[in-house]
Amino acid sequence: MIESYSLQAMVKSVKKPSIRMGYRYYMEKFNFYLYKSSQGLLITITALLTIIIIIQVICRTFLGFSLEWSEELGRYLLIWLTFVGGSVAFRNNELVGLDLLESKLNFRMNKVLKLVIHVLTLILFTFIIYFGIKATFSHGVVSQISPTMKFSLMYVYLAIPLGFILMTIYLLSAIQAEVRELIERKVKD
């Protein structure tokens, strides 16, 4: 669905971006840094989650007491890991998908089908972002405090719209690439 693009390959191929290429160059650069930031966040969350679980096991097994906050923080970190990780997997085209129809179509129809799927996915993501933001900043969520850690659950719910905003940015980049491929192929033919 979405293809990975290398910033280094693009920089080598385009020495000085023209006005037309400049937008694409900077969009790819932004996309690349956003992707690397998401990966860094995933590494940090995974490391924190691992450390918290190891400390909890040591405390419970060897020291005879349990940390009250560790289970709750682990759960919240896992939620963030899911949505940010989902966006990274989406960008890398590593989510489950069916390609039964895709393999039977010619190049042009395949690209048109991908564009239709991308547009429908964009509509879905827009709804999820809208209702995710609405739920995250609703009075019920903002005023709800986590039992042991004593902070607003708004920060936990924020993972949903943020993850889908990242997916939307990657999806827009994929739509742009599909349209560009379709146009370049049409010009060649």
Side-chain angles (χ1 to χ4, degrees), residues 71-103:
E71 181 185 342
E72 190 174 303
L73 182 59
R75 188 176 332 126
Y76 298 154
L77 287 174
L78 193 58
I79 291 169
W80 272 88
L81 187 71
T82 300
F83 287 102
V84 176
S87 71
V88 169
F90 184 80
R91 183 198 185 264
N92 291 338
N93 198 20
E94 295 173 344
L95 295 177
V96 175
L98 297 174
D99 63 350
L100 183 66
L101 187 60
E102 187 178 315
S103 61

Side-chain angles (χ1 to χ4, degrees), residues 1-3 5 107 110-112 114-115 118 173-184:
M1 203 189 263
I2 298 174
E3 312 206 4
Y5 301 100
F107 176 82
N110 194 359
K111 291 297 176 189
V112 170
K114 282 184 179 181
L115 278 172
H118 285 334
S173 182
I175 290 172
Q176 178 187 3
E178 295 291 339
V179 169
R180 187 174 55 243
E181 267 185 60
L182 199 57
I183 291 170
E184 287 173 358

Side-chain angles (χ1 to χ4, degrees), residues 4 11 16-17 20 32 36 44 49 59 66 69-70 73 77 88 95 99 108-109 114 122 127-128 133 137 139 141 187:
S4 299
V11 170
K16 203 173 195 184
R20 187 165 180 240
F32 177 78
K36 287 299 181 184
T44 304
L49 196 54
C59 287
S66 179
W69 52 267
S70 65
L73 182 59
L77 287 174
V88 169
L95 295 177
D99 63 350
R108 183 169 165 65
M109 288 307 295
K114 282 184 179 181
L122 183 63
F127 277 110
I128 293 173
I133 290 172
F137 295 105
H139 177 69
V141 173
V187 169

Side-chain angles (χ1 to χ4, degrees), residues 33-186:
Y33 288 120
L34 192 61
Y35 173 68
K36 287 299 181 184
S37 299
S38 298
Q39 281 184 324
L41 183 59
L42 286 177
I43 291 168
T44 304
I45 291 172
T46 305
L48 279 171
L49 196 54
T50 304
I51 291 167
I52 289 168
I53 291 171
I54 289 171
I55 290 172
Q56 174 66 359
V57 167
I58 290 171
C59 287
R60 189 176 290 188
T61 306
F62 299 112
L63 303 176
F65 69 92
S66 179
L67 301 172
E68 296 175 357
W69 52 267
S70 65
E71 181 185 342
E72 190 174 303
L73 182 59
R75 188 176 332 126
Y76 298 154
L77 287 174
L78 193 58
I79 291 169
W80 272 88
L81 187 71
T82 300
F83 287 102
V84 176
S87 71
V88 169
F90 184 80
R91 183 198 185 264
N92 291 338
N93 198 20
E94 295 173 344
L95 295 177
V96 175
L98 297 174
D99 63 350
L100 183 66
L101 187 60
E102 187 178 315
S103 61
K104 305 251 187 258
L105 298 174
N106 64 15
F107 176 82
R108 183 169 165 65
M109 288 307 295
N110 194 359
K111 291 297 176 189
V112 170
L113 176 66
K114 282 184 179 181
L115 278 172
V116 168
I117 291 170
H118 285 334
V119 169
L120 292 174
T121 305
L122 183 63
I123 292 168
L124 175 68
F125 286 178
T126 304
F127 277 110
I128 293 173
I129 291 168
Y130 173 76
F131 288 110
I133 290 172
K134 194 173 178 180
T136 299
F137 295 105
S138 70
H139 177 69
V141 173
V142 171
S143 62
Q144 190 176 5
I145 305 297
S146 83
T148 58
M149 299 194 61
K150 307 294 183 210
F151 64 82
S152 173
L153 287 183
M154 173 188 74
Y155 300 111
V156 178
Y157 278 71
L158 197 58
I160 299 168
L162 180 70
F164 279 95
I165 286 170
L166 292 171
M167 285 188 219
T168 301
I169 292 169
Y170 300 142
L171 181 62
L172 289 172
S173 182
I175 290 172
Q176 178 187 3
E178 295 291 339
V179 169
R180 187 174 55 243
E181 267 185 60
L182 199 57
I183 291 170
E184 287 173 358
R185 180 75 177 246
K186 192 173 185 179

